[in-house]
Amino acid sequence: LHVHSTASDGVLTPSEVVRLAQDLGLTAIALTDHDTTAGVSEAEEAANGSLEIIPGIEINSEGDWGDLHFLGYYIDPQDAHLQELLEAVRDARVGRARAMVLQLNRMGMRLEWERVRAFAVGESVGRPHVARALVEGGYVRNVQEAFDRFIGNDGPAYVPRLRLMPAETIRAILEAGGIPVIAHPAYSGQMAVSRIPEFAEYGLRGVEVFYPGHTDQEVAMLQALCQKHDLLVTGGSDFHGPSLGEGSALGSIFVPPECLDRLHWENRHQAIARGSPTP
Ligand code: AMP
Ligand code: ZN
Ligand code: FE
Ligand code: FE
């Protein structure tokens, strides 16, 4: 329930992601590209009803304590207000990526913006595109090394994104008919976990519990937290592509079927509350 494509910083096109999911025998995938829903229709067409596609998004947000990511399931890609907000966030991503290239140039690497742009074939430019251009230029061996040495959150060429506040992000997802779920909170850090009850008051509906970067203890702690605050349990691989140093494989995180059932129910529940036709 957490997959990226070339619409943002994934390596495979939405159709290729769908083909791979079908080959692996998955029941459903949620396409959750960063700050764009542009890949959803291609995924739906490629799946043609044989694999469930949950339209989704991943939006980054920031509190004074750092970086937080929110997933929005069943978001309406036609929602005009949401698209306006996303466009502003994506525009800011371009200047930010160029600033990282400039910083890498200052550090002696002759990286060109055009090469980064060439890797960013979709709408949303991100750090993995900068990392792939660094690999291509021979400055690092793989994407992971680019993050470890240069553009990770504490790296010397890291430049922050334009980030929305958590409450604003949750509201934008809700207003576009989506189900807001906090992405990989334990991976994001202790502060992210401790704020979950507060986010639930803003309208957060779930927590990404099953995640490659979460330990068994963290999974158990998050499950207990979900039960206490009546939040949905979700999970996903955060798949970005099959290449070296690009994170976890598609389907590598088992998400129990009842998580998907509860997500379906929540979607129906929200639709009824809005007075929309029930899915
Ligand atoms: P951005 O939204 O441009 O800041 O890029 C975020 C993406 O960069 C994430 O979705 C991951 O794919 C990748 N990423 C972030 N931090 C790391 C890291 N420390 N190591 C490897 N990949 C990372
Ligand atoms: Zn990403
Ligand atoms: Fe994330
Ligand atoms: Fe992600």
Side-chain angles (χ1 to χ4, degrees):
L1 302 177
H2 185 160
V3 177
H4 296 275
S5 76
T6 48
S8 66
D9 57 10
V11 174
L12 304 183
T13 64
S15 310
E16 288 167 340
V17 169
V18 166
R19 170 93 61 84
L20 181 57
Q22 286 169 327
D23 290 348
L24 292 167
L26 302 188
T27 308
I29 59 167
L31 195 68
T32 55
D33 273 308
H34 299 280
D35 304 327
T36 178
T37 54
V40 169
S41 57
E42 183 186 323
E44 283 171 345
E45 274 163 42
N48 195 20
S50 68
L51 165 76
E52 182 180 343
I53 307 293
I54 298 173
I57 196 155
E58 182 172 13
I59 303 179
N60 299 308
S61 122
E62 158 166 331
D64 43 10
W65 56 86
D67 207 16
L68 291 166
H69 300 180
F70 290 93
L71 299 162
Y73 292 118
Y74 295 106
I75 201 149
D76 175 11
Q78 310 302 329
D79 187 277
H81 180 253
L82 173 77
Q83 291 302 345
E84 223 172 279
L85 185 71
L86 295 179
E87 203 180 317
V89 173
R90 290 194 303 262
D91 282 350
R93 277 180 167 277
V94 175
R96 175 256 196 163
R98 297 192 75 137
M100 283 192 282
V101 169
L102 279 176
Q103 181 56 25
L104 290 161
N105 292 157
R106 276 188 210 109
M107 292 170 68
M109 284 161 267
R110 293 213 318 258
L111 188 71
E112 282 169 30
W113 163 247
E114 277 64 38
R115 293 315 305 153
V116 176
R117 188 75 254 191
F119 281 102
V121 297
E123 287 191 322
S124 185
V125 187
R127 278 183 286 167
H129 301 124
V130 176
R132 288 169 205 153
L134 283 170
V135 174
E136 182 192 58
Y139 298 108
V140 289
R141 272 160 306 186
N142 58 46
V143 164
Q144 190 58 55
E145 189 185 334
F147 276 90
D148 293 345
R149 288 179 54 198
F150 303 122
I151 57 172
N153 289 359
D154 303 317
Y158 174 71
V159 178
R161 280 176 252 99
L162 165 70
R163 283 170 290 200
L164 309 170
M165 295 301 287
E168 198 181 354
T169 310
I170 291 167
R171 193 178 58 226
I173 292 169
L174 285 170
E175 285 177 356
I179 300 168
V181 170
I182 187 166
H184 47 70
Y187 179 74
S188 290
Q190 184 44 46
M191 282 312 275
V193 174
S194 66
R195 297 291 176 119
I196 288 174
E198 177 191 335
F199 298 154
E201 282 174 29
Y202 304 151
L204 186 78
R205 289 300 308 126
V207 176
E208 186 175 52
V209 171
F210 304 106
Y211 189 77
H214 288 177
T215 64
D216 291 348
Q217 288 96 314
E218 286 167 341
V219 167
M221 174 269 294
L222 291 171
Q223 277 177 311
L225 197 66
C226 285
Q227 197 151 31
K228 184 170 172 206
H229 296 278
D230 190 28
L231 293 165
L232 301 174
V233 171
T234 76
S237 63
D238 204 354
F239 177 65
H240 277 76
S243 358
L244 190 67
E246 296 265 10
S248 299
L250 187 65
S252 60
I253 289 289
F254 177 71
V255 182
E258 53 269 29
C259 294
L260 185 60
D261 294 342
R262 287 207 55 194
L263 203 54
H264 290 158
W265 277 107
E266 182 67 25
N267 185 35
R268 292 192 64 153
H269 184 84
Q270 280 197 190
I272 291 164
R274 275 198 306 274
S276 323
T278 49

